[in-house]
Amino acid sequence: MDAAEAKKIIVEELEKKTKSKSKFYLKDFYKFLPDEKPRAVKNIVNDMVAEGILEYWSSGSTTMIGLKGRGKQAAAEDED
Amino acid sequence: MAKHETPLLDQLESGPWPSFVSDLKAEAEARAKNEKGIDYQIPADCVEDLLGVLELSYKHGRTHWKHGGIVGVFGYGGGVIGRYCDSPDKFPGVEAFHTVRVAQPGGKYYKTEYLKQLMDIWELRGSGITNMHGSTGDIIFIGTTTKQLEEIFYEMTHNMNQDLGGSGSNLRTPADCLGESRCEYACYDTQDLCYNLTMEYQDELHRPAFPYKFKFKFDGCPNCCVASIARSDMSFIGTWKDKIQVDQAEVKLYVDGQTPPNGGAHKDGNWGPFDIEKEVVNICPSGCMGYKGGKLLIDDKECVRCMHCINVMPKALHIGKKRGLSILVGAKAPILDGAQMGSLLVPFIEANKDNDYEEIKDVIEKVWDYWMEEGNNRERLGELIKRKGFQRLLEKCEIEADPRHVQFPRENPYIFWKEDEVAGGWNRDINEYRKHHKR
């Protein structure tokens, strides 16, 4: 599967689930692309963050990933 | 006068130890005076507000920090941890008060000039409060606003050649002992291996790759000065595979009281004359030593690398000549399932600089592939090993099980053979079997 197709699938899958939650573990992305190795999925997801399609959320110990602009944002954290 | 009354924090200063409260008050005062004329880029009274919010947390018995955030620097998924106060109206100086992790230099060597440069950035663009060092080893900058993050990152990377450390579900900042730079016990060059792996795995260090955090730590010898065996998912501990080097003439000088044991570390105590039987031979954990006819005897194949004899008589005993390291996996602190120490995965492997540590990287990547495939969300490697069994990890790493992998012999009498390991598989003819094995 080429990267563009994989990215399209990821966005579609996230859009479907966005009503119930906005942030996902990296492992959740493996399920969207079952034929790809975890390391390949990780690289695609990190590319998508660099491209501004996805964004990280970190508690400090764990990192979650979601569509950029969805869920709680910096502005909602009482900061502009 | 302080901005907030802090009677509960004041009480903490009354104990016998140096107090972080006193340090915070000193920093708050220094920022208020601003004798250096710094053009503070975040509120000058942020440390006052930090003391205030901490006092409130003690009063209420709960935190007033919100958890996590999306903040970071471009291209990185770690190194910055978002922190926001839940009472910004009372404490505007710490409304946003993010933590920045700075990768510490190998062996934690730095020049005063380097520390001054770091602090020049941090006093200007942050709170001025640091944690030297965090438990993973990083230099921690405590408290800045989102706008300052890219500025701090730019100045550190462009002016100091200094990178951020790891956080979140990333490879955490690798930590090492000072190794061969100062220590005669080092069995490999810890700083070189630490630096090499840090550069090799930049992507894993800066962008989330795993189900949870993953830590490397490098100890040059089994004294384990960075406690890798207890604190890292993958621990690299120097060892040797030949004999401890013994200089019998130097042993005699210890026995005769001419050389103080432990390098003289205990010479001020009233311990009486050195007794090699009592202080070394009889407390060897594997009982592999004897002292007969004025000679120290060691049955090296029984040595478990406790290092005690070498530590007591460093002029007489020395690490072996065929040096390398052991790889242990699965140590962690007690969040789930209690604390775990590392389990031995690779008993001996050479730390070969000439081939860029290829064999070590091969083990690392097999472990990662297994954990990435089968680890649950927020499951440390040690928990996965416990859930699936150590045998599964050995299979995935293509390492043959060996007696050194067994901590306690015969603790578990059950052996689970697989069908392909048994001649004839599971479908043997029972009648044929009964001809030779009557009930």
Side-chain angles (χ1 to χ4, degrees), chain B residues 203-217:
Chain B
D203 196 45
E204 285 78 3
L205 181 59
H206 295 310
R207 283 163 281 280
F210 305 125
Y212 203 15
K213 63 180 92 165
F214 194 92
K215 298 179 183 180
F216 282 152
K217 292 192 194 298

Side-chain angles (χ1 to χ4, degrees), chain A residues 14-80:
Chain A
L14 292 179
E15 292 282 4
K16 275 189 224 163
K17 294 172 192 288
T18 287
K19 280 178 193 162
S20 53
K21 60 178 182 175
S22 60
K23 295 177 180 70
F24 302 83
Y25 288 109
L26 180 59
K27 203 173 167 75
D28 297 331
F29 290 78
Y30 300 168
K31 290 176 202 150
F32 303 158
L33 303 169
D35 298 331
E36 298 290 330
K37 285 269 181 198
R39 200 175 285 258
V41 178
K42 179 259 297 182
N43 290 336
I44 293 168
V45 167
N46 286 333
D47 267 359
M48 292 173 78
V49 173
E51 289 163 6
I53 303 166
L54 304 179
E55 69 186 358
Y56 302 123
W57 178 93
S58 173
S59 67
S61 67
T62 315
T63 307
M64 300 188 83
I65 301 150
L67 285 167
K68 192 174 174 73
R70 305 292 171 88
K72 205 166 199 179
Q73 295 295 296
E77 306 269 17
D78 308 314
E79 189 187 14
D80 293 321

Side-chain angles (χ1 to χ4, degrees), chain B residues 367-381:
Chain B
V367 169
W368 279 352
D369 283 344
Y370 170 50
W371 183 45
M372 287 165 82
E373 276 171 22
E374 299 195 20
N376 290 331
N377 291 323
R378 292 174 61 83
E379 182 176 53
R380 292 287 288 272
L381 177 64

Side-chain angles (χ1 to χ4, degrees), chain B residues 72-74 76-81 99-104 118 138-139 141 149-150 152-154 156-157 161-167 171-174 198 202 205-206:
Chain B
V73 295
F74 184 72
Y76 277 28
V80 176
I81 299 142
T99 297
V100 182
R101 290 193 181 155
V102 180
Q104 79 280 15
L118 273 184
D138 312 82
I139 297 165
F141 284 175
L149 293 171
E150 289 289 358
I152 292 165
F153 182 58
Y154 182 92
M156 282 201 310
T157 49
N161 198 22
Q162 173 62 55
D163 203 356
L164 297 187
S167 68
L171 173 64
R172 299 305 183 84
T173 321
T198 302
Q202 280 285 295
L205 181 59
H206 295 310

